[in-house]
């Protein structure tokens, strides 16, 4: 269930490298913990973000949670279809439920992220 | 605090919830299912068909004796003397300041015996208060531990019950009434009451039969288990107050817009304070709101009238039926006007909304 080609954060974001850009979303574990997602506040394209800054907000029926920037860089594109169909994150967290694309500044930041095996271990440790 | 205080309790249906895929969360000292398939799905199922809720955590008391009615008349915000046996009434336990100790439902078994249904988080506080304020001849019993409670709520709930007991009994049971029935040999107090705004029933019985009745009711294809998440969104669409969020010992029924559940023509604890408040007027009142979009304000958001602080949100969630954010807030009385535009803010978010009288969701 945890795609092997992605990198992960402790805040349950995933990152997929594509040339100089990364695609960012939240993991299946995260969407499952949040429950029905009812609203997503997306960043503006062109925005500069620093690693660990708040990047977007997802709201479920009962609560709001931040999505943090896994890497520093410039937001190049956001998934505007989430405005009308935020439930896409529940249905396809690694696919159509992607959140935004970021042009990465410092690629060494990628080294600090977890691979799939480490993330799987991390989830096991947090959900006992 | 000791372990005994901090350890969460489980209802007799805990294993049933795990089997049904329930996600367990802490609630008022209990481990309760917040959802099974999803809050929106369970919410809509209750509005369209019927939901089954484990409400074993709530409390039940018995007041018995020749003076029980007189004692309750003094303790409860509404009259009990004019109730017929077999009727239920929603109202409050108030303190001397007129603020709300708890919102409860009184079941009149006879003039000498009453059952009180109280909130889970207030069981100990309520018991202490009641014991302090009854006469020596009245016997108080907290039967919460020996009472299981299931809520069956939704437009098809009567049809489901008719397959379990004599259909004539279901037909004859009016709103805010209760009766003794037997379901597969299990003695049940069945009341036509609820917290969803739908046709619905509450079942009180011995906990040893909890899983038997739970499983029996879930056999019907129109019935699905519903968690506390949807219980909250269902009550919020109706504008029903939640104790501890919308009403508490900082607010009176007058401020909460719940004066119709207070009988000022009789004497009871808190009456003098309410009378004074009615005369002097209240500055803020509880009202509903609907946000302009899907994003909802949450509890403790400030209510703003332009740049002026004009109140506080006490409950907020996404409404599955309206597909917008909704909630309840205390607001300056002058602003509690239908469709009045307000802003709801916390440190970083501002949400535009309009005042909505209750119910928030009209259906």
């Amino acid at each position: 269930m945890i795609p092997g080609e992605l990198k992960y954060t402790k805040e349950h974001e995933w990152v997929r490298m594509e040339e100089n850009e990364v695609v960012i979303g939240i993991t299946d574990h995260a969407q499952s913990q949040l429950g029905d997602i009812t609203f997503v506040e997306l960043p503006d394209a062109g925005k500069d973000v620093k690693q660990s800054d708040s990047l977007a907000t997802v709201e479920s029926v009962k609560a709001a949670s931040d999505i943090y920037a896994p890497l520093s860089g410039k937001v190049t594109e956001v998934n505007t279809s989430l405005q009308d169909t935020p439930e896409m994150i529940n249905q396809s967290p690694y696919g159509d439920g992607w959140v935004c694309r970021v042009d990465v500044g410092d690629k060494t930041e990628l080294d600090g992220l977890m691979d799939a095996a480490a993330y799987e271990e991390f989830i096991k440790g947090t959900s006992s | 605090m000791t372990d005994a205080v901090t350890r969460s309790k489980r209802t007799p249906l805990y294993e049933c919830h795990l089997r049904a895929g329930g996600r367990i969360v802490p609630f008022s000292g209990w481990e309760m299912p917040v959802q099974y398939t999803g809050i929106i799905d369970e919410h809509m199922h209750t509005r369209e068909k019927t939901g089954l809720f484990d409400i074993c955590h709530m409390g039940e008391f018995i007041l018995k004796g020749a003076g029980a009615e007189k004692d309750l008349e003094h303790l409860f915000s509404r009259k009990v003397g004019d109730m017929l046996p077999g009727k239920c009434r929603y109202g409050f336990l108030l303190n001397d300041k007129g603020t709300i100790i708890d919102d409860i439902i009184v079941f009149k078994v006879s003039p000498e015996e009453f059952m009180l249904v109280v909130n889970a988080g207030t069981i100990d506080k309520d018991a202490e208060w009641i014991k302090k304020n009854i006469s020596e001849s009245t016997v108080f019993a907290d039967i919460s531990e020996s009472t299981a409670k299931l809520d069956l709520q939704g437009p098809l709930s009567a049809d489901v019950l008719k397959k379990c007991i004599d259909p004539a009994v279901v037909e004859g049971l009016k709103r805010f009434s209760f009766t003794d029935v037997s379901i597969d040999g299990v003695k049940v107090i069945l009341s036509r009451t609820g917290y969803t705004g739908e046709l619905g029933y509450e079942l009180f019985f011995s906990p040893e039969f909890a899983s038997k009745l739970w499983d029996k009711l879930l056999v019907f294809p129109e019935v699905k288990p519903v968690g506390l998440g949807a219980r909250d969104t269902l009550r919020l669409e109706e504008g029903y107050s939640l104790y501890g969020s919308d009403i508490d010992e900082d607010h009176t029924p007058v401020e909460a817009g719940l004066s119709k559940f207070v009988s000022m023509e009789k004497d009871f604890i808190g009456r003098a304070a309410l009378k004074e408040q009615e005369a002097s007027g209240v500055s803020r009142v509880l009202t509903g709101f609907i946000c302009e979009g899907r994003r909802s304000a949450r509890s403790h958001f400030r209510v703003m009238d332009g740049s002026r602080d004009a109140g506080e949100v006490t409950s907020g969630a996404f409404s599955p039926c309206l597909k917008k954010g909704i909630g309840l807030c205390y607001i300056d009385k002058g602003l509690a006007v239908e469709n009045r535009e307000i802003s709801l803010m916390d440190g970083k978010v501002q949400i535009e909304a309009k005042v909505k009288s209750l119910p928030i969701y009209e259906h």
Side-chain angles (χ1 to χ4, degrees):
Chain A
M1 207 54 200
I2 299 174
E5 72 278 17
L6 308 180
K7 295 275 201 174
Y8 300 88
T9 71
K10 288 183 176 174
E11 281 77 34
H12 307 285
E13 291 93 12
W14 57 259
V15 168
R16 185 170 64 235
M17 275 306 291
E18 290 184 359
E19 305 287 319
N20 283 329
E21 281 188 354
V22 293
V23 184
I24 292 167
I26 66 170
T27 66
D28 184 57
H29 175 79
Q31 71 77 20
S32 150
Q33 291 296 311
L34 290 167
D36 293 325
I37 291 168
T38 56
F39 174 83
V40 183
E41 183 181 53
L42 296 162
D44 293 327
K47 183 184 177 183
D48 286 313
V49 293
K50 282 221 295 279
Q51 190 177 35
S52 303
D53 278 358
S54 175
L55 179 65
T57 305
V58 282
E59 295 204 355
S60 61
V61 177
K62 304 243 323 169
S65 317
D66 282 322
I67 299 176
Y68 298 98
L71 302 163
S72 305
K74 187 188 283 290
V75 177
T76 55
E77 189 183 350
V78 297
N79 185 1
T80 50
S81 66
L82 295 179
Q83 285 163 349
D84 291 327
T85 53
E87 63 272 20
M88 199 63 79
I89 293 182
N90 294 118
Q91 292 159 5
S92 176
Y94 299 115
D96 292 342
W98 65 279
V99 173
C100 64
R101 303 176 76 94
V102 169
D103 187 357
V104 181
D106 178 5
K107 282 190 186 163
T108 62
E109 284 178 354
L110 266 170
D111 301 336
L113 304 183
M114 288 178 275
D115 63 16
Y119 181 63
E120 191 168 4
E121 280 304 306
F122 175 71
I123 296 177
K124 275 187 201 153
T126 55
S127 61
S128 56
Chain B
M1 284 206 283
T2 65
D3 275 351
V5 175
T6 52
R7 191 178 302 134
S8 290
K9 291 194 274 189
R10 292 176 177 178
T11 80
L13 295 169
Y14 182 80
E15 298 296 330
C16 295
H17 299 320
L18 295 184
R19 273 204 303 279
R23 182 185 303 159
I24 307 294
V25 299
F27 179 83
S28 289
W30 292 79
E31 292 183 55
M32 298 299 290
V34 64
Q35 65 166 64
Y36 304 87
T37 53
I39 293 175
I40 294 176
D41 180 53
E42 292 162 34
H43 180 110
M44 297 312 290
H45 189 87
T46 305
R47 287 263 181 263
E48 288 160 7
K49 292 178 178 168
T50 287
L52 182 65
F53 304 70
D54 174 7
I55 309 296
C56 292
H57 58 305
M58 280 183 76
E60 296 84 12
F61 301 154
I62 297 286
L63 279 186
K64 234 179 190 173
E69 187 164 280
K70 188 159 169 275
D71 285 343
L72 201 50
E73 209 72 91
H74 182 55
L75 273 164
F76 188 52
S77 65
R78 297 179 73 189
K79 286 186 191 169
V80 290
D82 65 345
M83 289 171 72
L84 293 172
K87 298 297 283 183
C88 325
R89 209 164 258 182
Y90 171 84
F92 309 103
L93 298 176
L94 303 175
N95 58 30
D96 292 324
K97 294 185 293 178
T99 63
I100 302 170
I101 293 173
D102 200 7
D103 63 333
I104 69 174
I105 296 186
V106 167
F107 287 55
K108 186 168 184 173
V109 181
S110 77
E112 298 187 354
E113 184 176 348
F114 295 85
M115 180 169 82
L116 278 53
V117 181
V118 307
N119 281 297
T122 52
I123 292 175
D124 294 342
K125 177 179 83 162
D126 293 0
E128 200 177 314
W129 177 254
I130 291 168
K131 283 191 273 186
K132 207 170 81 180
N133 286 288
I134 52 175
S135 46
E136 275 182 17
S137 65
T138 302
V139 178
F140 169 89
D142 178 353
I143 58 163
S144 307
E145 296 280 330
S146 56
T147 307
K149 178 173 181 283
L150 290 179
D151 288 12
L152 188 70
Q153 302 277 309
L156 303 181
S157 56
D159 298 336
V160 169
L161 280 176
K162 284 179 193 170
K163 294 173 194 163
C164 302
I165 58 172
D166 179 0
V169 171
V170 180
E171 288 283 339
L173 195 64
K174 302 281 179 257
R175 209 158 169 254
F176 279 95
S177 302
F178 68 97
T179 189
D180 293 328
V181 299
S182 171
I183 302 178
D184 289 355
V186 179
K187 279 175 61 180
V188 174
I189 297 172
L190 177 71
S191 65
R192 197 173 141 195
T193 47
Y195 196 45
T196 60
E198 297 297 332
L199 170 66
Y201 300 85
E202 299 182 293
L203 291 74
F204 302 85
F205 52 92
S206 177
E208 64 195 285
F209 304 113
S211 58
K212 177 178 171 174
L213 289 189
W214 176 263
D215 290 342
K216 179 185 174 71
L217 290 166
L218 284 179
V219 163
F220 299 102
E222 52 271 56
V223 181
K224 271 190 176 183
V226 179
L228 291 185
R231 184 171 165 86
D232 190 52
T233 52
L234 286 158
R235 70 94 192 169
L236 198 54
E237 285 185 346
E238 297 303 315
Y240 294 159
S241 288
L242 172 65
Y243 192 83
S245 296
D246 312 303
I247 52 176
D248 52 29
E249 291 194 33
D250 291 328
H251 295 95
T252 70
V254 180
E255 293 163 306
L258 298 169
S259 295
K260 65 178 172 180
F261 302 113
V262 175
S263 306
M264 289 303 281
E265 62 270 30
K266 68 152 189 174
D267 196 23
F268 56 90
I269 303 172
R271 179 179 179 277
L274 295 188
K275 193 141 180 89
E276 207 169 288
Q277 192 176 48
E278 280 188 339
S280 62
V282 295
S283 54
R284 285 188 173 168
V285 293
L286 190 67
T287 187
F289 63 80
I290 300 179
C291 302
E292 69 172 6
R294 298 176 63 97
R295 180 172 232 179
S296 182
R298 311 289 172 171
S299 60
H300 307 305
F301 271 49
R302 302 307 308 177
V303 179
M304 305 300 291
D305 175 32
S307 59
R308 192 175 61 86
D309 188 296
E312 182 174 356
V313 173
T314 52
S315 288
F318 177 78
S319 160
C321 288
L322 295 171
K323 299 196 169 29
K324 288 181 174 177
I326 60 165
L328 292 169
C329 63
Y330 281 97
I331 187 171
D332 287 355
K333 200 179 175 184
L335 299 179
V337 177
E338 199 77 354
N339 288 323
R340 180 68 160 75
E341 290 179 5
I342 50 175
S343 300
L344 309 171
M345 294 178 72
D346 75 350
K348 48 181 182 172
V349 176
Q350 176 170 340
I351 297 166
E352 303 309 319
K354 283 182 178 167
V355 169
K356 173 71 181 75
S357 59
L358 306 182
I360 295 171
Y361 168 59
E362 314 258 1
H363 61 113

